[in-house]
Amino acid sequence: MLWLVIAILAYLILAVVFLIDKYLLVGSISNPKVYAFYVGVLGIAVLLLFPFIEFSILANRYLIFALIAGASFVLGTLWFFKGLKLFEPSRMVPAVGGILPIFTFLLIFIFSKGKESLAFWEIISFLLLILGSFLITYNKAEKVSLQSLKISTVAAFFFALSFVFSKYVYLEYPFLLGLVWIRLGGVAMALIFLFSRQLRSELFKEKPGLEKKTAVVFFSGQAVGAGAGILQNWAVALVPMAYVAFINALQGVQYAFLLVFAALLSLKLPGIIKEEISKEIILQKIIAVLFIGAGLAVLAL
């Protein structure tokens, strides 16, 4: 169960990164494609791992898998940021959190031709975690619209592709070597974004550089996020193939951490995270945390 501990630690860190992302998207970096470009191209930092690996080129099929995994993650990030820019997190996050693990499970089931599946109690745990993830972020005052659902579905699909193809790479190659190639796939996707005239204009003309304060916040967030991403990928590498979808379903843990952070920050930064407090909402959150706890207990036992 080492993968479970690593995944929970990754989601604790990603909760902090989420707050930074939302802060920047409503402020200095307002274009989701610009943000996704920076996230993708900074994957080049993975080259710092070269001294720790025995570098080699992956076999054709797995090289393609790695590049697709990296590119899909950047595309998922782009669509998720688009959603965060257009809608409140209470619309985007529950939808992505609910759809992503289902997509991941279905893709693994299809690619393995039904060989990878879950036992009865594993399915119960899986459903409890998804339900808890949905409830902890659901806000009936901000119902998921058709447009936000479409964007959430596209983002979840790309993220699911990234997780599944990453797992196939990690099954055949050492973790760090696979991670390097996956991140290079993300860099390649980010560079493809440069074919967009609008993106080039915003990057090099209208905003030739980030303001100092914004740059510090952004790169700090990306450094922290990179560490969380490595932990999350490590969990994917360790977990059995049929359990990859659990890595996604465990995002409810991230939202539980985010709930605490948002409650603490909402007084000072009400424009970034809006967290309403009422008896009904508190009860909903408590029930959601109980579902997540029950899902974790069933999974662990």
Side-chain angles (χ1 to χ4, degrees):
M1 281 295 180
L2 176 61
W3 69 267
L4 182 58
V5 176
I6 294 171
I8 291 174
L9 179 58
Y11 285 125
L12 169 62
I13 300 172
L14 286 172
V16 177
V17 176
F18 179 90
L19 292 175
I20 296 173
D21 289 342
K22 183 60 179 175
Y23 170 76
L24 292 173
L25 283 168
V26 299
S28 304
I29 306 178
S30 59
N31 186 333
K33 182 171 281 190
V34 171
Y35 203 104
F37 169 80
Y38 282 129
V39 170
V41 81
L42 286 174
I44 197 70
V46 78
L47 297 181
L48 295 173
L49 293 174
F50 263 47
F52 306 101
I53 65 174
E54 185 177 340
F55 184 74
S56 63
I57 298 177
L58 309 186
N60 291 343
R61 180 171 63 166
Y62 293 100
L63 178 60
I64 293 173
F65 287 173
L67 296 179
I68 290 176
S72 296
F73 183 81
V74 173
L75 289 172
T77 300
L78 170 62
W79 283 93
F80 185 66
F81 287 161
K82 278 186 178 180
L84 285 182
K85 181 64 180 177
L86 294 172
F87 307 102
E88 286 298 314
S90 55
R91 290 190 184 187
M92 281 295 299
V93 174
V96 174
I99 298 170
L100 173 55
I102 295 173
F103 272 161
T104 303
F105 176 78
L106 290 176
L107 286 173
I108 290 174
F109 187 82
I110 292 170
F111 290 165
S112 68
K113 298 180 180 179
K115 294 179 181 178
E116 297 290 345
S117 59
L118 300 175
F120 174 76
W121 286 110
E122 293 168 338
I123 293 174
I124 296 299
S125 172
F126 186 64
L127 294 177
L128 286 170
L129 289 170
I130 292 176
L131 183 58
S133 297
F134 181 83
L135 280 178
I136 203 167
T137 51
Y138 177 72
N139 182 351
K140 67 179 181 180
E142 294 285 349
K143 293 183 179 179
V144 176
S145 65
L146 181 60
Q147 185 181 3
S148 66
L149 183 60
K150 287 179 179 178
I151 294 177
S152 299
T153 301
V154 174
F157 178 73
F158 280 122
F159 281 136
L161 278 180
S162 179
F163 275 93
V164 173
F165 280 113
S166 294
K167 180 58 181 178
Y168 277 109
V169 173
Y170 294 140
L171 283 175
E172 296 295 326
Y173 290 93
F175 170 64
L176 290 180
L177 178 61
L179 181 65
V180 166
W181 280 106
I182 290 167
R183 286 291 186 264
L184 290 178
V187 173
M189 188 70 250
L191 294 177
I192 290 174
F193 286 170
L194 290 177
F195 285 101
S196 167
R197 181 179 300 177
Q198 180 186 7
L199 177 65
R200 293 198 308 272
S201 175
E202 187 154 351
L203 282 174
F204 305 123
K205 293 181 182 179
E206 296 175 17
K207 297 181 180 180
L210 297 174
E211 295 179 3
K212 185 176 180 180
K213 180 181 178 182
T214 301
V216 170
V217 174
F218 176 78
F219 288 112
S220 297
Q222 289 309 302
V224 173
I230 291 175
L231 288 174
Q232 191 179 46
N233 273 266
W234 188 18
V236 171
L238 292 174
V239 77
M241 174 63 82
Y243 274 35
V244 174
F246 275 98
I247 303 293
N248 305 139
L250 282 166
Q251 282 190 316
V253 176
Q254 175 186 340
Y255 308 146
F257 289 132
L258 183 62
L259 177 65
V260 175
F261 296 153
L264 295 174
L265 292 175
S266 59
L267 296 177
K268 289 191 174 183
L269 299 171
I272 306 303
I273 296 291
K274 301 174 182 178
E275 193 64 43
E276 298 178 4
I277 301 297
S278 68
K279 290 183 179 179
E280 182 181 356
I281 291 175
I282 292 174
L283 178 60
Q284 175 187 323
K285 305 297 185 185
I286 292 174
I287 293 173
V289 171
L290 290 176
F291 275 128
I292 293 170
L296 287 172
V298 172
L299 179 61
L301 298 176

